[in-house]
Amino acid sequence: MKIAVVGCGALGSFYGAKLLRAGQEVHFLLRSDYEIVQREGLRVTSGEGEFQVRPHCAKRPEEIGKADLILIGLKTTANHEFPRLLPPLTAPETIHLTLQNGLGNEARLAALFGPENVLGGNCFVCLNRVAPGIIQHLAYGKIVLGEYQRPPLPRTELVCELFRHAGVECEVTPELERARWEKLVWNIPFNGLGVASAAGYEAVLRGSVDPTLPLRPPFSTEQLLAEPDWEKLVRELMHEVILGAKASGFEMAAELAEKLVGRTRQMGAYKASTLLDFERGRPLELESLFLEPLRQARRSGMALPRWEALCGVLRELAEIPGRK
Amino acid sequence: MKIAVVGCGALGSFYGAKLLRAGQEVHFLLRSDYEIVQREGLRVTSGEGEFQVRPHCAKRPEEIGKADLILIGLKTTANHEFPRLLPPLTAPETIHLTLQNGLGNEARLAALFGPENVLGGNCFVCLNRVAPGIIQHLAYGKIVLGEYQRPPLPRTELVCELFRHAGVECEVTPELERARWEKLVWNIPFNGLGVASAAGYEAVLRGSVDPTLPLRPPFSTEQLLAEPDWEKLVRELMHEVILGAKASGFEMAAELAEKLVGRTRQMGAYKASTLLDFERGRPLELESLFLEPLRQARRSGMALPRWEALCGVLRELAEIPGRK
């Protein structure tokens, strides 16, 4: 079937390449990597084996035309591009599958193309774009797939099969939004504190950066869990996000925080995606990962002091002059 | 995904077994073969390799419950069972895919479950149920898949992928009804004359069986093409069906008849499915393969003398006392 990949960073390229290798007609919408991928294809290196594919390459969505399925792997900071990039690819029944992080991406697609044409996938994968046209697969790869605001349909199962047969571990969730919230219980403390640690512990408590102090090297997951003060912040944030999820209608087991902390210890020194973006001077996905979830959680009226303070620091860090 | 197979003769069992082997959750609705398939599974023998599967077995559709996809492989002579067999399997979005022969099956499903939930597949496969629980695959296997009365959707492509990944050659047609008519250009002469040949050449010209004459051994495709009189009838019938298709809005290349005759010569002595049913004293699929197409073709008001006569003979042969 005809698949368009919009947002050919590490995520979109990786899953697009897998589908292409499995025999699908996959079109990549590219910008800076257009020439090299057009000329040399895309290479995926991995401990599970390396492979190379030659996707159809386009610079403008009009060159691709209508697709059966659009994989959206854009950074959520580029979501304002949806109205320019997606309509040329969209027929009345085209499936829009966002593989992006956090909350609010499906809603944005639904507003443009109708909620019935929107699916979301939570990706559990560690990837790195090591050079133009070269994606390094580090670990994992699973997608948890769901319909936007409704239970799974036969077509959800069919999309899941499409990924499975491309060698991607995939499962269907009856509640996409719950799955999104569950992932945030990890992302908000580890992505958030990872970046915020650059401003120091006091800043994270206070909710604002002291501009007179230099930034420090930010913390990996391992460092966050190695210091009792930071580990306490991790747990407090997790509990606030669990409260936020509950206020949004998604009750979670009390042991979830404990389980995630334990699992993260085993992962070693992992740098969350927002931390990598921060270190590379790239835009931070604050809206979908931190601010929109906080807005939704706030509706309950409950106090979320750690989360509010974290967002304050992240907003300031994202706007440091000289950052892109 | 959850797939229910309704009509577990050779056709339904074969495709159901392939999907099961590829990892799908496949439920067989069985009658006479229930005990043996439940106990020993289903075996598919084939020159391409033999395999065995153990499907979920049910005697009543209520035991299966709602499915994502229903494969309908019933003989079309059992279509009056749809309202009893299918509703317990049907959720609002369940896909009903009929793999049956001829015209009118999709319309019947559409009347029950809405046209938007109906797909049809034209199967090009030679199968034989050699014993309870044992299906012999003789040749081919391709499915040409389409939506009922509309162009393909993304989900059509996804269902196609489902079959492909189960090792079934599958393609999507933009016009299911045209594909159905194209197959009838072969089926009407070869299935029809195969059976009618038992009543003799004069009967087929006249359009009625002489009850004073004994029936003869009916003709394989090879025998039909070996005798100039019968070959002429084959071609005349093909041309009438091509006219009928045209009257229904599906223009076909004039060389189609020539091509089909040539290809059939290469197949050797093949017994069409209706002929096998006739020899085994089973109900004949007259309605979907001959009568409904003729009704549709007649609307144009054109003369279809060979086809009318053939249907007369087949109706009489189908009702010979002692036949089931």
Side-chain angles (χ1 to χ4, degrees), chain A residues 120-141:
Chain A
N122 250 341
C123 300
F124 299 87
V125 63
C126 303
L127 297 168
N128 198 4
R129 176 179 166 282
V130 291
I134 304 179
I135 308 296
Q136 183 181 25
H137 171 246
L138 296 162
Y140 312 110

Side-chain angles (χ1 to χ4, degrees), chain B residues 82-115:
Chain B
F82 284 174
R84 181 175 72 83
L85 298 177
L86 300 179
L89 305 168
T90 302
E93 303 266 352
T94 297
I95 298 169
H96 297 76
L97 169 56
T98 163
L99 299 176
Q100 300 169 293
N101 271 325
L103 297 183
N105 308 305
E106 288 88 1
R108 212 151 170 163
L109 291 167
L112 289 167
F113 306 109

Side-chain angles (χ1 to χ4, degrees), chain A residues 1-2 22-24 67-69 93-95 150 152-155 157-159 161-162 164-166, chain B residues 1-2 22-24 67-69 93-95 150 152-155 157-159 161-162 164-166:
Chain A
M1 57 190 294
K2 186 170 171 183
Q24 304 303 328
D68 295 309
L69 171 66
E93 303 266 353
T94 297
I95 297 169
R150 56 177 178 175
L153 303 176
R155 70 116 179 256
E157 303 287 345
L158 286 165
V159 173
E161 293 301 332
L162 186 76
R164 283 188 187 157
H165 291 123
Chain B
M1 58 189 294
K2 187 171 171 183
Q24 304 303 330
D68 295 308
L69 171 66
E93 303 266 352
T94 297
I95 298 169
R150 56 178 176 175
L153 303 176
R155 69 114 179 255
E157 303 286 346
L158 286 165
V159 173
E161 293 300 333
L162 187 76
R164 283 189 186 154
H165 291 124

Side-chain angles (χ1 to χ4, degrees), chain B residues 236-247:
Chain B
E236 286 169 350
L237 273 167
M238 282 187 171
H239 286 295
E240 288 189 12
V241 180
I242 288 171
L243 285 176
K246 185 175 174 183

